[in-house]
């Protein structure tokens, strides 16, 4: 792999550990975050990455620019806004966006970037903060196949299951399906743990036994123990899953035929509004609070 200068924009719960993984593979990387006083940024610097104060400093010498942000407006601001990527990136450089912005948003951004001779790939990820730290993320990629082959060695550093899904927007399309599964897995997980309590069964037994059978899932293995321990720290915030479900509903015309999506959205919103709306900042496992259960 040619060690091109790379940039990483967005050092949040996911972006920071991904940047650390790149740096620990001795890749020359400049990183930028909108908020520079986050305590975990010290770990990014310690890994060997260079944290800079502006997008310009990060991207002007980079051939590959990774972004990991929140919603469509965030991605658009970082790319097209005042001082954004388009004003400083080299022609023919490539932006790889790890954010979840929906297929429509990805296609619109890619089309606009063409006029600036900058390539774009949507590469949303799944696996939470655990996957980001361990470099085992699932990455769903949309864009030109040749561009995918170019960035694949870099994706191999932060991901384990990397799939080329098709043209721009295809990675986002698959990610939206993933988020429907993740949302409804959480509903099933909460109700199974609640049922265990109702029957005076230790909920840890549900994790131990059901994880080995047909009902096993990533959520059951990784998030059920957090629910049992009342650990609601976010690996993936409720505000982000609600954003993703909003994107899902934007591409569905007959939403009444998707009762599960509506139920998951209702339960997440119920928790989000708790504690003066601070529920938005808790992990998705906090859905259990909608059931009034404590473990």
């Amino acid at each position: 792999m040619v060690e091109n200068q790379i940039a990483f924009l967005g050092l949040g719960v996911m972006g920071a550990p991904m940047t650390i993984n790149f740096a620990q593979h001795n890749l020359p990387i400049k990183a930028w975050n909108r908020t520079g006083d986050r305590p975990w940024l010290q770990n990014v610097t310690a890994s060997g990455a260079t944290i800079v104060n502006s997008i310009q400093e990060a991207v002007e010498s980079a051939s590959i620019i990774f972004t990991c942000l929140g919603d469509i407006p965030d991605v658009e601001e970082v790319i097209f806004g005042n001082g954004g990527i388009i004003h400083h990136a080299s022609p023919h450089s490539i932006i790889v966006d790890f954010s979840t912005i929906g297929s429509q948003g990805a296609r619109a951004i890619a089309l606009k970037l063409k006029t600036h001779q900058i390539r774009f790939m949507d590469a949303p990820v799944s696996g939470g903060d655990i996957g980001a730290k361990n470099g085992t993320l699932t990455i769903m990629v949309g864009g030109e196949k040749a561009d995918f082959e170019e960035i694949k060695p870099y994706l191999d550093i932060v991901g384990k299951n990397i799939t080329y899904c098709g043209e721009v927007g295809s990675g986002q399309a698959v990610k939206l399906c993933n988020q429907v599964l993740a949302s409804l897995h959480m509903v099933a997980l909460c109700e199974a743990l609640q049922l265990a309590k109702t029957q005076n069964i230790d909920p840890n037994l549900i994790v131990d036994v059901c994880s080995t059978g047909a009902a096993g899932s990533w959520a059951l293995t990784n998030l059920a123990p957090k629910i049992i321990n009342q650990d609601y720290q976010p690996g993936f915030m409720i505000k982000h899953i609600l954003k993703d479900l909003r994107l899902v509903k934007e591409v569905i015309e007959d939403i009444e035929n998707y009762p599960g999506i509506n139920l998951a959205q209702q339960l997440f919103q119920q928790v989000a509004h708790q504690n003066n709306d601070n529920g938005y900042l808790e992990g998705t496992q906090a859905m259990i609070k909608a059931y009034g259960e404590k473990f």
Side-chain angles (χ1 to χ4, degrees), residues 52-87:
V52 296
N53 296 319
S54 68
I55 293 174
Q56 177 179 353
E57 291 177 86
V59 308
E60 60 187 355
S61 59
S63 56
I64 303 175
I65 302 163
F66 297 101
T67 55
C68 189
L69 303 160
D71 204 342
I72 295 174
D74 304 302
V75 178
E76 291 179 334
E77 176 64 23
V78 166
I79 294 177
F80 302 112
N82 184 30
I85 294 173
I86 61 167
H87 303 292

Side-chain angles (χ1 to χ4, degrees), residues 272-292:
H273 291 307
Q274 293 181 6
N275 192 22
N276 295 319
D277 286 345
N278 284 319
Y280 280 102
L281 304 179
E282 294 189 308
T284 54
Q285 68 272 19
M287 179 191 276
I288 193 68
K289 293 183 179 181
Y291 294 88

Side-chain angles (χ1 to χ4, degrees), residues 185-249:
H185 283 168
M186 187 54 63
V187 175
L189 174 56
C190 290
E191 296 194 0
L193 293 180
Q194 179 176 278
L195 180 61
K197 291 286 287 186
T198 299
Q199 300 179 102
N200 296 317
I201 294 294
D202 181 353
N204 289 290
L205 189 62
I206 304 305
V207 178
D208 294 341
V209 175
C210 296
S211 293
T212 65
S217 69
W218 186 94
L220 180 58
T221 301
N222 292 281
L223 297 182
K226 291 188 175 184
I227 292 175
I228 295 168
N229 293 323
Q230 299 181 51
D231 175 6
Y232 306 122
Q233 290 298 308
F236 189 66
M237 291 183 188
I238 284 179
K239 72 173 184 178
H240 292 142
I241 194 65
L242 283 171
K243 177 262 298 181
D244 294 350
L245 291 176
R246 185 201 79 220
L247 293 171
V248 168
K249 296 181 83 168

